[in-house]
Amino acid sequence: MTSSQQRAALQRQIWAIANDVRGSVDGWDFKQYVLGTLFYRFISENFAAYIEAGDESIHYAKLPDSVITPEIKEDAIKTKGYFIYPSQLFDNVAKNANSNESLNTDLAAIFSAIEASAFGYPSEQDIKGLFADFDTTSNRLGNTVKDKNLRLAAVLKGVAGLNFHGESGGKFEDNHIDLFGDAYEFLISNYAANAGKSGGEFFTPQHVSKLIAMLAVHGQSSINKIFDPACGSGSLLMQARKHIDVHKIEEGYFGQELNHTTYNLARMNMFLHNINYDKFNIQLGNTLTDPHFGDDKPFDAIVSNPPYSVKWIGSDDPTLINDDRFAPAGVLAPKSKADFAFVLHALSYLSGKGRAAIVCFPGIFYRGGAEQKIRKYLVDNNNVETVISLAPNLFYGTTIAVNILVLAKNKPNTDTQFIDASNLFKKETNNNILTDEHIQKIMAVFDSKENIDHFARSVPVEEVADNDYNLSVSSYVEAEDTREVVDITQLNAELKTTVARISELRTEIDAIVAEIEGEEQDA
């Protein structure tokens, strides 16, 4: 079985488990248990592999907890960020799950112990609360302890039966890690696709994430760190990781997320892609009013798909106009539309050599008022490298055709590039997708800055200014007229021939009618 076939089989199996086990529980409510169990298995196997260190004579899961010395424990926490005793490992809990009458409370105690193991260590904030949404006492699992345990056991057994080892046998290798990470993102994307409007708030489809990540890291041989100020489940950060050598990312992955459940998903996502606690920093909070990482900026790569046109406090907070992020523009984003607040936030965190690629609601590129003043600031400050219009229905929860805004502080000239990619998509089931060929076509013209009729154009700053700083792609790239060209001369000739033929037919019909009438009179 090839690796792609193995992935496909694994994904079919894991989605079947997720649906079969949940029973009458809403899939959205049940996602924490499936995702949490997958995470629990991963960190258990990852930790055991670390302790065993490739020594086939050691089987950590079979060791008694009593052999663990304080020195072993402390060393492991400093390296991995957490500690799991042999008895707490996923395998040992899962194999006895069906007969364990205290399964729900045992799991709660194990999760609490894993989190507590990091107390007082540098990893504390990265581990704290990771299992907060895995509520083993919730009535969503059942009304009685027995019902809860039956469902928990079914999830554990289902995840235990998934083959992440492939041809590596029982070894915890790169292929193993990739399969875990892919399975986690597959689950998140499926939950997002089935979640309606809310799905797009925590997961950016992988094909769009790939384009955004490639735009942000383009042309950079090394990156100090990558930042997503509205990171959701971390999918954009993980796509960036796939498209640049991990050794060229010097200080890791940074993100901030407002929703507590999604914040936990993002931290789990980091661990599941084998990013150690000292190589990521995901923080909880409102990016606009409680920004983190002020001491960590600037960032060489910023990727973001912030919520579209959400309300924020804006001018109701008189201190914000003096905030370093917003003050240079001289005006705040409207209270009813925070889009440009996210853009200015990202710009202020961007390094002099880096790029930010941000998904934006199209209205912000042509509306007047404060948004026009912010566009003027961005253009006059020469920070807008490219605006790309995408096809509709690429995202979960919305059918609108969004734009990608690429910001930079090191442009070689004052032109602004506009790319009309609205015709680049492939229709699939409920959503459109970008194929690799579509992404390559966009990246090629982004790199070359070539003018291509009906597709891309680099526009002088004077033209943008004369157009009231309108940044809509359609204002600068003329859409191709796909209507059939009509040759009037040829059409007139065809009409003349047709009219003549109709005349002939009428004459023939008149003759036939006259002949019939004559025969009737003779009769």
Side-chain angles (χ1 to χ4, degrees), residues 61-112:
K62 293 182 179 178
L63 296 177
D65 291 356
S66 57
V67 303
I68 306 300
T69 65
E71 291 77 19
I72 292 173
K73 184 174 181 181
E74 183 171 15
D75 181 66
I77 297 170
K78 286 179 178 177
T79 304
K80 299 300 292 181
Y82 58 91
F83 192 87
I84 306 177
Y85 281 98
S87 65
Q88 298 171 332
L89 291 171
F90 173 86
D91 274 354
N92 285 332
V93 175
K95 69 183 179 183
N96 298 317
N98 287 334
S99 58
N100 185 353
E101 294 181 357
S102 58
L103 178 62
N104 69 326
T105 53
D106 285 354
L107 279 173
I110 289 169
F111 296 157
S112 179

Side-chain angles (χ1 to χ4, degrees), residues 276-331:
N276 211 40
Y277 75 90
D278 57 348
K279 284 294 184 183
F280 76 83
N281 191 344
I282 307 294
Q283 294 289 330
L284 180 66
N286 187 316
T287 288
L288 301 181
T289 57
D290 180 27
H292 290 262
F293 310 120
D295 294 334
D296 294 292
K297 64 182 182 181
F299 294 86
D300 289 344
I302 296 176
V303 291
S304 192
N305 178 16
Y308 310 140
S309 302
V310 293
K311 295 178 181 178
W312 75 308
I313 192 168
S315 58
D316 284 348
D317 181 349
T319 67
L320 285 175
I321 194 60
N322 298 316
D323 190 300
D324 289 346
R325 298 169 296 162
F326 311 125
V331 65

Side-chain angles (χ1 to χ4, degrees), residues 77 81 112-125 127-129:
I77 297 170
S112 179
I114 294 171
E115 291 184 18
S117 69
F119 288 175
Y121 290 88
S123 59
E124 179 176 344
Q125 292 305 313
I127 304 295
K128 185 179 181 181

